[in-house]
Amino acid sequence: TTGEEGGSMTFSVASHDGTKTSGLVIEDGNAAGELDVTIAAGTSSLTNVAGNLKVTGNTASFGNGATIVNTSNTLTITEQDVVLSGDLTINGNDITFGNGETISNETDGTVAITATTTSLSGNLLVSGNTTSFGNGASIVNTDTGTLTVTEAKTAFVGDVSMNNNLY
């Protein structure tokens, strides 16, 4: 049909068993000015890129259905688990989880966790001297031998042991 011409070019080589195999196929796409390119043959093929790889489109698709999509300042990886080896540096200020909870470093020197309950396992080491609560109360390590609770009423459940004088 006029205006719907197309073509293809195929580079083939003998594979390991001598079978003629297409290693590079360039063919017309489904729109003007578009070409579709297939590199390698089969999922066991190894494709090496020397130098940098530039992708001018926005989506990288994998054989298992996972994708990496780049849309206006957001990179979305659609895999259940993403594993990074080495250190992770975050140049922004927030980490947002699927349930809406966040870890924020919006204010320099402060890391805010928005969960209603924050659970820690193991020991908690506080290197500063004050633990502050949302109602204004605090526990202050005033000096080496003094721990001050700034609440007018302090309740204990269970036994309380005192080694020195009770004031």
Side-chain angles (χ1 to χ4, degrees), residues 77-140:
I77 302 172
T78 62
E79 194 58 88
Q80 179 69 31
D81 296 314
V82 177
V83 177
L84 304 172
S85 60
D87 297 333
L88 175 63
T89 299
I90 298 173
N91 290 325
N93 293 320
D94 298 316
I95 298 172
T96 303
F97 297 93
N99 61 3
E101 305 292 359
T102 63
I103 298 174
S104 176
N105 184 226
E106 188 173 317
T107 303
D108 192 22
T110 300
V111 174
I113 301 173
T114 63
T116 303
T117 301
T118 302
S119 176
L120 304 171
S121 62
N123 299 322
L124 176 62
L125 173 64
V126 178
S127 60
N129 292 321
T130 303
T131 301
S132 299
F133 298 92
N135 64 357
S138 63
I139 299 173
V140 181

Side-chain angles (χ1 to χ4, degrees), residues 15-160:
S15 65
H16 186 70
D17 65 358
T19 305
K20 182 179 170 185
T21 304
S22 299
L24 175 63
V25 179
I26 304 172
E27 55 192 343
D28 66 319
N30 59 3
E34 177 188 339
L35 295 175
D36 295 331
V37 179
T38 302
I39 301 173
T43 58
S44 296
S45 296
L46 176 64
T47 304
N48 292 309
V49 176
N52 298 319
L53 177 64
K54 181 177 183 179
V55 178
T56 56
N58 292 320
T59 302
S61 298
F62 298 89
N64 65 354
T67 60
I68 299 175
V69 180
N70 182 15
T71 55
S72 65
N73 297 329
T74 301
L75 187 65
T76 303
I77 302 172
T78 62
E79 194 58 88
Q80 179 69 31
D81 296 314
V82 177
V83 177
L84 304 172
S85 60
D87 297 333
L88 175 63
T89 299
I90 298 173
N91 290 325
N93 293 320
D94 298 316
I95 298 172
T96 303
F97 297 93
N99 61 3
E101 305 292 359
T102 63
I103 298 174
S104 176
N105 184 226
E106 188 173 317
T107 303
D108 192 22
T110 300
V111 174
I113 301 173
T114 63
T116 303
T117 301
T118 302
S119 176
L120 304 171
S121 62
N123 299 322
L124 176 62
L125 173 64
V126 178
S127 60
N129 292 321
T130 303
T131 301
S132 299
F133 298 92
N135 64 357
S138 63
I139 299 173
V140 181
N141 187 5
T142 310
D143 57 46
T144 304
T146 306
L147 187 63
T148 304
V149 178
T150 64
E151 203 55 88
K153 181 179 176 183
T154 304
F156 295 94
V157 176
D159 296 336
V160 176

